[in-house]
């Protein structure tokens, strides 16, 4: 369908251009007035040729409207009179006539195209539906039939049908596990459908290439990984992502090798897709530390997130180092990952990072710097929730005294109320010397905790 | 004196022609840009699996914020529809903006709500919040219901923004119908930002009049049976598929519909939230957010998604339509004049050099010039000097150009989302295109002029709105909602 959109736009553009050229050429070449006299001198020349004409106030932008007074009444004369009266031969009128003819032509063309397109589309949709149903039935029979039975799939050599067949087979394969999935994969190879997928990689259009990657990865065509890896640093971000996803699946030994020299920013969308592939195919990676020193911050953040999600607690010293990273986003990911590890010894680093992530007056014109600082301090306080003990009460005392951010104060009071022994008593004491805003926070947090 | 009038005549006539050519050229250029952008979008998204967001722990959190005023008849179904959206980490915040009907009682009963204590920071000033409710039933744990004093749609949205802690906020009209994957599709562009921050994304608003709706979901898409909504289908298709797509590509989008848009919460709060003094708060927020980012030298983008994610009811009477368009005009003018500093200001790049001037000349000034042209022609017609053939040729050109644009819009729709499946619907749309410039355009022009008049005379009310419910076409039964003063209104630009 996308091919058809491109073809339509191209053909309509070319047709429109040709139409404009044809109309302009035809119109101006047949116009004697245009061929014989310059328009700037138009009315002057007409005046010389027809001395008997009289001038009248004009309606057309300062030009002279002319009325013929003598002469025989013939159709030609009447037309001439009409032309002269209204300056039909002026450049503006000529341009308008050309535009009108062109627009009429486009309208007819568009109308015909839309109707034909609709008819073809409806027919194709019905046809595709029937073929799809046929293949669904045939594939089900194949799956539940005898293993060595020879199967004939209707019209599979026709390219239109073959595409539908591949889609159906892949869709079915995607929903099946075990023996059934293996049988479908065998069928994919036996019918040489992998060759179709490989051919897609060589196509010029990036969306067809990307589709080829998907098919080959899903059917685990390992030999294709070398071809696919050519695109892992492609400038086309979709091609790049699809090749990465395919390689995560195909390159079992080192699924994330492409992150080593990854020069682009790894977007969150790419990260989500890679993570999904890792989880769906249950791909294990021994360690993510290899990418935590990468010069590409997006790669560092992704590896830290993966370490947290896959509970690579052994990576915590490396993650801890990242609390010193210059990028506040990296520091945030590191704090959240350490929080996920839930290691009791971590209170020290969280307190330290809280103390560092402070507002900077000189950054007050930066739209996000101080927001990042607040966000990171909040994350550090949140991380203390599961590991804070009575030893941390002095730190919280400091927080309540100095902190300005509402959400951090709210979180700090909430954590204090959960620290036993001593937390609730300390909150009561803090209430006595708190300013009205903090008092309000304490009162409300206590009420919420009691709910 | 005669020389003066001749000079004036020359300026007016040639000026109108030059502007007409400029407008034609701009629309044609936008259509071409849109075609290229649509083609890329369709290819790009042909193999996107949005479901990866459903289960991913890396997916961002979203808060759906929907203000409601006197929506008692439909609010329970509308909330159910919002709660059934496909997304994992999201909440639905409904703000009852001082409704005078039984909205509150109905929602409390239907969702087993109880008042809860919630401590939040009022970063954006709003009218007082009376109570916050949450459900006792865990099945509705994503729902938060805020009951507050009436302050208008912008004020209600600000109250919702104050209460949420999610990363992104999605502002919607409570009676709009979202497709189930709307949040998944809308969230994706925020995850694709590279170096530049995605501050907002907006989707296509489609017209739901005559569509079959069951349990807050569209089950059968149909072209509106009535003429007026049908014309608006064409108009929306043109505006969304051929206009905003191109502006998104140029990073010059100035408007995200109030019916459904998604925003970065931090940026919204930093900018001061919705402006409660304006009638066009949706456009003004986007302009302010863009301005804020540009002034802080932050790279950013506003993204537009052509997928039909949100369906809403279009006005089906002239009275309601003229009020809506009059208000849109005032909203546009508010944003343009309030942020006039942007006008041809190179500091703001595309926003200052292209976006703002385009809206200034083509959205605000063009109807005024059109009106001047009409008045001028009437005067020369009365004086007996019109060049009739030239007049008719010019009229035919403008008419045919308008129809051609609509035909292109129908073609865009056919080749992209193809939502109207019946052939007779396509033929109807094409025939409607022929009538639109004759019957619909004059109404829009009149409303626009009225909006200009009201703007300059300082009128800032939303006006009294009468809307017909979605069920009108099915049951031939009218559900009239009356909205007074500066209250929220569902059909947004």
């Amino acid at each position: 369908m996308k091919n058809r959109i491109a073809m339509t736009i191209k053909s309509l553009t070319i047709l429109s251009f040709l139409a404009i050229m044809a109309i302009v050429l035809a119109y101006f070449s047949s116009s004697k007035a245009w061929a014989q006299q310059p328009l700037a001198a138009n009315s002057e020349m007409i005046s010389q040729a027809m001395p008997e004409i009289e001038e009248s106030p004009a309606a057309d932008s300062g030009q002279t409207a002319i009325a013929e007074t003598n002469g025989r009444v013939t159709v030609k004369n009447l037309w001439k009179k009409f032309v002269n009266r209204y300056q039909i031969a002026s450049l503006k009128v000529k341009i308008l006539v050309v535009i009108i003819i062109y627009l009429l032509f486009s309208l007819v063309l568009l109308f015909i195209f839309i109707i034909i397109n609709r008819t073809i589309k409806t027919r194709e949709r019905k046809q595709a539906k029937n073929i799809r149903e046929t293949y669904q039935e045939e594939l089900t029979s194949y799956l539940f039939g005898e293993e060595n039975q020879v199967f004939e799939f209707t019209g599979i050599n026709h390219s239109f049908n073959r595409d539908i067949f591949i889609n159906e087979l892949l869709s079915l394969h995607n929903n099946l596990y075990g023996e059934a999935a293996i049988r479908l994969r065998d069928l994919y190879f036996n019918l040489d459908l992998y060759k179709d997928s490989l051919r897609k990689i060589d196509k010029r259009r990036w969306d067809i290439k990307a589709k080829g990657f998907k098919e080959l990865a899903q059917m685990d065509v390992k030999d294709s990984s070398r071809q696919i890896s050519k695109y892992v640093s492609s400038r086309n971000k979709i091609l790049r992502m699809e090749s990465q996803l395919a390689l995560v699946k195909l390159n079992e030994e080192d699924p994330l090798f492409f992150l080593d020299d990854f020069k682009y920013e790894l977007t969150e969308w790419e990260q989500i897709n890679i993570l999904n592939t890792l989880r769906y195919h249950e791909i294990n990676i021994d360690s993510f530390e290899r990418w935590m020193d990468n010069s590409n911050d997006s790669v560092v953040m992704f590896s830290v997130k993966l370490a947290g999600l896959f509970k690579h607690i052994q990576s915590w010293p490396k993650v801890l180092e990242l609390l010193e990273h210059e990028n506040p986003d990296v520091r945030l990911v590191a704090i959240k990952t350490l929080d996920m590890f839930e290691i009791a010894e971590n209170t020290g680093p969280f307190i330290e990072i809280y103390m560092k992530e402070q507002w900077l007056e000189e950054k007050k014109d930066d739209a996000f710097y101080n927001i990042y600082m607040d966000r990171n301090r909040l994350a550090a306080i949140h991380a203390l929730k599961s590991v804070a003990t009575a030893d941390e009460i002095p730190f919280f005392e400091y927080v309540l005294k100095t902190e300005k951010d509402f959400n951090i104060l709210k979180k700090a009071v909430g954590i204090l109320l959960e620290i036993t022994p001593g937390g609730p008593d300390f909150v009561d004491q803090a209430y006595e010397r708190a300013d009205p805003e903090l008092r309000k926070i304490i009162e409300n947090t206590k009420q919420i905790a009691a709910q | 004196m005669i020389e003066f009038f001749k000079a004036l005549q020359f300026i007016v006539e040639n000026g109108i022609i030059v502007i007409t050519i400029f407008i034609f050229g701009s629309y044609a250029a936008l259509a071409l840009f849109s075609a290229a952008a649509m083609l890329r979008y369709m290819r790009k998204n042909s193999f996107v699996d949005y479901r990866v967001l459903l289960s991913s722990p890396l997916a961002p959190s979203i808060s759906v914020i929907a203000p409601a005023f006197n929506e008692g008849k439909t609010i329970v179904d509308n909330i159910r529809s919002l709660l059934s959206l496909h997304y994992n980490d999201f909440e639905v915040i409904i703000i009852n903006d001082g409704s005078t009907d039984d909205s509150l009682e109905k929602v409390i009963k239907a969702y087993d709500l109880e008042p809860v204590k919630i401590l939040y920071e009022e970063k954006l000033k709003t009218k007082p919040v009376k109570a916050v409710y949450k459900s006792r039933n865990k099945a509705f744990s994503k729902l938060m219901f805020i009951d507050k004093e009436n302050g208008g749609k912008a004020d209600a949205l600000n109250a919702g923004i104050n209460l949420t802690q999610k990363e992104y906020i999605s502002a919607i009209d409570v009676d709009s119908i979202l497709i189930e994957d709307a949040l998944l599709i809308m969230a994706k562009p925020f995850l694709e930002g590279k170096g530049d921050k995605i501050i907002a994304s907006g989707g296509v608003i489609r017209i739901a009049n005559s569509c079959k709706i069951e349990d807050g979901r569209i089950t059968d898409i149909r072209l509106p049976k009535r003429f007026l909504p049908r014309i608006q289908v064409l108009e929306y298709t043109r505006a969304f598929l051929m206009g905003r797509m191109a502006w998104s590509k140029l990073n010059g989008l100035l408007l995200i519909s109030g019916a459904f848009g998604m925003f970065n919460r931090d940026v919204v709060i930093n900018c001061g939230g919705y402006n409660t003094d304006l009638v066009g708060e949706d456009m003004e927020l986007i302009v302010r957010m863009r301005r804020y980012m540009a002034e802080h030298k932050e790279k950013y983008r506003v993204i537009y998604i052509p997928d039909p994610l949100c369906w809403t009811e279009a006005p089906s009477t002239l009275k309601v339509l003229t009020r809506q368009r009059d208000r849109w005009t005032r909203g546009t003018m508010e944003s343009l004049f309030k942020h006039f500093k942007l006008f041809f200001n190179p500091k703001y790049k595309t926003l200052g050099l292209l976006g703002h001037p385009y809206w200034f000349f083509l959205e605000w000034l063009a109807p005024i010039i059109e009106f001047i042209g009409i008045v001028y022609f009437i005067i020369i017609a009365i004086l007996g000097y019109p060049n009739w053939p030239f007049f008719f040729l010019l009229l035919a050109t403008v008419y045919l150009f308008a129809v051609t644009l609509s035909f292109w819009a129908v073609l865009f729709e056919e080749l992209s989302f193809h939502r109207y499946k019946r052939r007779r619907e396509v033929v109807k749309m094409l025939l409607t295109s022929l009538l639109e410039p004759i019957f619909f355009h004059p109404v829009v022009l009149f409303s626009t002029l009225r909006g200009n008049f009201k703007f300059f005379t300082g009128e800032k009310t939303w006006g009294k709105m009468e809307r017909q419910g979605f069920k009108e076409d099915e049951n031939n039964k009218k559900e009239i909602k009356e909205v007074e003063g500066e209250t929220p209104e569902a059909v947004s630009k």
Side-chain angles (χ1 to χ4, degrees), chain B residues 46-61:
Chain B
S46 59
F47 41 82
V48 167
D49 185 3
Y50 291 101
R51 287 172 304 171
V52 296
L53 277 176
L54 269 179
S55 57
S56 181
L58 301 181
S61 56

Side-chain angles (χ1 to χ4, degrees), chain A residues 59 61 118 121 240 365, chain B residues 13 194 296 385 414 420-421:
Chain A
S61 61
R118 165 53 60 109
K121 207 180 243 180
R240 194 165 70 227
D365 292 332
Chain B
E13 288 180 3
K194 290 187 166 196
H296 285 84
Y385 298 130
E414 277 293 288
Y420 299 105
K421 305 282 185 207

Side-chain angles (χ1 to χ4, degrees), chain A residues 118-130:
Chain A
R118 165 53 60 109
T119 312
I120 293 172
K121 207 180 243 180
T122 311
R123 201 185 61 208
E124 275 183 2
R125 208 173 48 231
K126 273 185 194 160
Q127 211 179 337
K129 190 176 169 242
N130 291 338

